[in-house]
Amino acid sequence: MSKKSDAGLLARLLGRDASSSGEDVLQALEAAPPETESPSPRAARRDESLEEPHEDLDVPAPRQAAMPDSEDPEQEAEIERVLRRIQGLVAGEEKNAQSAGKTGTEAAPAPFPESGRTLESWAKTEFVPIEPESLEEAQLTESEVEALILKYLLARGEASGRAVADQIKLPFVLVDQLMRRMKTERLVAHRCDAPMNDYVYELGELGRERARRYSQHCTYFGAAPVSLRDYVNSVQAQSLTQQRPTADELKAAFGDLLLNRRMLDRLGPAVNSGRGLFLYGAPGNGKTSIAERVTAAFGPYIWVPRALGIDGEIIRVFDPVNHHEVPLPENTGLIDSRKVDRRWVRIRRPTIIAGGELTMAALEVTLNTSTGICEAPLQLKSNCGTLVIDDFGRQRMPIHELLNRWIVPLEKRYDFLNLPNGKKICVPFDQLIVFSTNLEPRELVDEAFLRRIPYKIEVVDPSEEEFRNLFEVLAPKMGIQYDAAAVDYLVKNHYQRCGRAFRFCQPRDLLLQVLNYCKYAGVTPRMSPELFDLAVDNYFAVM
């Protein structure tokens, strides 16, 4: 590149006018005194660890990158774009450094893309797991992390250090230090180089034997487990009792259901309490639908650990079947500085439904004897959310066993779990439990249990007006032409004349019958007395 181009590039880097001569730019650079700042404690420690090289060592001089000698306009434009990028990054670092100097803390990380807020400001208003800076801060031992790494390499064969860090969800700097120690102890070996100052590792003979021994106890090699103490703190920070849903939020949660104001006013205090709720009434009036939508009145997201580690036992908490993962938006910068602990998963506030298949085993820690991995019970997975016991009274387990199992947790809001190694642990019991049944509650449970369920709400039949409104609301959504005269015929001949009770589910079910017949007959979906007669004959044949 010519001397003029060198001067122009140097001027742009210094933020000066490109028309200045090369000598002026160089003189200004030479005359500028070096800026001295007090080093940070972290930098001071790094400088103290560096020693002067011995004179007898032949230390090669650092290589300088060669500048391309070209006057191509496209290359000039590319260089200009890169320079603007560098200047923007430098300006951002200076801005963060200035703010750090004012507050006495390190520079704030990049904001969350979805809100523009920094990690610190986010953590002040809601729980956010922060990435640990050491194994001690993560409450992990080197042996625990070593076991995960060795079992992963035993299953994978080979992997780079960054792939290992991504597998066990720990910062690469912590994993890299441990991998170097394992290399020294001949547990692993370098297979080849990897990008970004990394290596591809494979097991040595000693490491392979130790990995097999670890796998005999437990085959788990996923994310590093979270401590029980950190999990308890997270539940306290995200508890339903911290939420206070308003009438508008409750109305929005049940926006797709037709509920009158009286029902909403009865549900509101029950939801705000975050305690037990009994929904009872005739079948088909939407008890399960109400229970499923209660969670939407609270905050949308919570963080749960992928797994808990308690005295060598791994308990899997995150369940893709019952938990819906909502990851943070991908980082658009060069480096992800959000520093979120990847051992945790952001999910929608859970709603877990257990029906007639519920057994006592689902309420205890279960051990898979073939893998050595424990599965968390339903009440632990539903913490900070809603646990719905649907069709209460029809479970495979006797009712009194379920009541005896939960009679203390419902009042104290903590539970005791037995681990396979014989240890008993205390865990939070923090969820809104909804018992939904079409049986009479007094015939199912005694007074002692009913006292611990403070809210008992009967879901009554709809009025005739509400019943008609359901047809008017559902017909357009299902693509059926609404006909008030046909609804009048249905109500008069198939409900009032025979004394049949209205149910909230019947308009939807009858319209589905009409829709399916119209599709079969190849006609436009519409309401008519004849079609309602066919639908009623099918739907109420044995009812």
Side-chain angles (χ1 to χ4, degrees):
M1 185 177 290
S2 65
K3 182 176 181 180
K4 182 178 180 180
S5 299
D6 291 340
L9 178 59
L10 185 58
R12 290 199 297 271
L13 284 173
L14 294 175
R16 295 177 176 272
D17 185 6
S19 62
S20 302
S21 63
E23 290 78 3
D24 294 340
V25 173
L26 293 175
Q27 289 176 1
L29 183 61
E30 292 175 355
E35 297 181 0
T36 59
E37 295 181 358
S38 57
S40 63
R42 185 178 298 178
R45 291 195 299 270
R46 183 171 64 252
D47 294 341
E48 292 173 1
S49 64
L50 299 177
E51 298 180 356
E52 293 294 332
H54 296 284
E55 294 181 358
D56 55 347
L57 295 179
D58 185 14
V59 181
R63 293 178 295 177
Q64 295 182 354
M67 298 294 293
D69 187 10
S70 174
E71 299 293 341
D72 188 356
E74 293 184 359
Q75 289 190 0
E76 287 290 333
E78 180 67 17
I79 292 175
E80 185 70 27
R81 187 189 65 79
V82 174
L83 290 177
R84 286 198 301 268
R85 176 66 172 163
I86 294 174
Q87 290 173 355
L89 292 175
V90 172
E93 291 293 335
E94 292 176 351
K95 183 177 180 180
N96 289 338
Q98 292 174 1
S99 62
K102 293 178 182 179
T103 59
T105 60
E106 292 187 359
F112 281 85
E114 61 185 15
S115 68
R117 297 162 57 193
T118 62
L119 180 61
E120 284 78 5
S121 64
W122 191 301
K124 290 179 181 178
T125 56
E126 60 182 83
F127 173 82
V128 178
I130 307 300
E131 185 179 79
E133 296 184 357
S134 64
L135 294 181
E136 292 77 12
E137 185 177 337
Q139 300 187 52
L140 293 169
T141 63
E142 288 190 354
S143 298
E144 291 175 325
V145 182
E146 175 189 287
L148 295 175
I149 295 174
L150 292 179
K151 287 186 287 186
Y152 175 60
L153 290 177
L154 181 64
R156 179 74 180 270
E158 63 180 40
S160 66
R162 296 187 185 277
V164 172
D166 186 65
Q167 172 69 18
I168 64 176
K169 308 301 181 185
L170 287 177
F172 171 70
V173 62
L174 302 182
V175 175
D176 185 56
Q177 296 172 1
L178 186 57
M179 297 295 289
R180 293 176 186 272
R181 180 186 66 78
M182 294 168 62
K183 167 68 169 57
T184 303
E185 296 176 359
R186 297 187 297 177
L187 296 175
V188 298
H190 291 168
R191 181 174 180 85
C192 59
D193 292 338
M196 301 179 67
N197 196 26
D198 194 7
Y199 297 95
V200 174
Y201 294 90
E202 63 180 2
L203 289 177
E205 289 300 325
L206 182 60
R208 191 176 301 276
E209 178 62 29
R210 187 174 298 184
R212 291 195 183 100
R213 193 162 61 247
Y214 282 136
S215 298
Q216 290 176 356
H217 172 67
C218 178
T219 61
Y220 178 83
F221 54 83
V226 174
S227 68
L228 179 61
R229 186 185 70 181
D230 287 346
Y231 175 67
V232 171
N233 293 337
S234 74
V235 173
Q236 293 176 350
Q238 304 174 106
S239 172
L240 290 181
T241 58
Q242 305 286 343
Q243 309 290 327
R244 291 294 181 266
T246 63
D248 293 337
E249 291 172 336
L250 193 66
K251 187 176 180 180
F254 298 105
D256 59 338
L257 296 181
L258 185 60
L259 297 180
N260 55 42
R261 183 58 182 266
R262 181 174 178 272
M263 177 60 70
L264 287 175
D265 289 342
R266 297 191 65 186
L267 286 172
V271 173
N272 266 273
S273 71
R275 303 183 70 87
L277 172 64
F278 224 123
L279 293 176
Y280 66 98
N285 279 338
K287 296 182 297 298
T288 303
S289 299
I290 292 174
E292 290 174 347
R293 288 160 176 79
V294 165
T295 314
F298 300 99
Y301 309 122
I302 64 169
W303 294 83
V304 297
R306 298 179 185 272
L308 292 177
I310 305 172
D311 292 346
E313 299 289 346
I314 300 294
I315 302 178
R316 193 155 43 194
V317 178
F318 174 65
D319 183 4
V321 175
N322 293 304
H323 295 154
H324 179 72
E325 183 177 1
V326 185
L328 292 173
E330 294 185 3
N331 184 61
T332 57
L334 297 177
I335 300 176
D336 190 354
S337 58
R338 293 176 294 187
K339 303 299 182 183
V340 175
D341 193 344
R342 296 181 298 160
R343 297 179 298 162
W344 297 72
V345 185
R346 191 174 76 147
I347 64 172
R348 294 192 187 278
R349 197 174 287 269
T351 300
I352 297 179
I353 301 177
E357 76 282 358
L358 181 65
T359 61
M360 183 60 74
L363 307 180
E364 302 291 346
V365 176
T366 56
L367 173 66
N368 188 323
T369 55
S370 61
T371 62
I373 304 173
C374 298
E375 191 74 20
L378 288 181
Q379 65 269 26
L380 194 69
K381 294 179 181 180
S382 63
N383 271 335
C384 303
T386 304
L387 177 58
V388 181
I389 308 300
D390 201 12
D391 293 329
F392 180 62
R394 304 183 187 276
Q395 278 68 35
R396 296 168 57 186
M397 60 186 299
I399 297 178
H400 68 273
E401 290 187 10
L402 176 62
L403 303 185
N404 292 336
R405 175 66 181 82
W406 277 352
I407 195 167
V408 173
L410 282 172
E411 184 170 1
K412 301 297 184 181
R413 299 190 72 80
Y414 59 79
D415 191 15
F416 289 97
L417 299 176
N418 295 313
L419 300 183
N421 58 12
K423 183 175 181 178
K424 180 175 288 188
I425 60 174
C426 181
V427 296
F429 190 85
D430 191 288
Q431 64 279 110
L432 177 65
I433 293 190
V434 181
F435 295 92
S436 173
T437 181
N438 52 26
L439 304 176
E440 178 59 38
R442 294 186 184 88
E443 299 176 359
L444 296 174
V445 297
D446 57 13
E447 183 179 353
F449 185 78
L450 287 175
R451 181 178 63 83
R452 290 167 171 83
I453 308 296
Y455 295 92
K456 300 92 174 173
I457 300 176
E458 182 181 6
V459 183
V460 298
D461 296 335
S463 64
E464 182 178 336
E465 181 182 0
E466 291 173 332
F467 188 76
R468 292 174 179 271
N469 287 340
L470 281 172
F471 279 100
E472 190 173 356
V473 171
L474 291 175
K477 294 182 179 180
M478 301 174 67
I480 301 176
Q481 184 178 355
Y482 176 73
D483 187 349
V487 176
D488 292 338
Y489 172 84
L490 172 69
V491 171
K492 180 179 179 180
N493 291 273
H494 295 288
Y495 283 89
Q496 294 177 349
R497 180 172 297 178
C498 60
R500 181 175 286 129
F502 297 116
R503 298 285 189 265
F504 276 103
C505 67
Q506 290 170 358
R508 176 202 61 194
D509 296 340
L510 291 175
L511 287 177
L512 281 174
Q513 295 265 356
V514 172
L515 180 63
N516 292 330
Y517 181 83
C518 291
K519 289 181 178 179
Y520 162 74
V523 298
T524 303
R526 59 184 178 84
M527 296 182 183
S528 69
E530 297 78 16
L531 292 177
F532 273 135
D533 287 338
L534 290 172
V536 168
D537 289 342
N538 291 331
Y539 190 71
F540 294 107
V542 294
M543 298 172 61

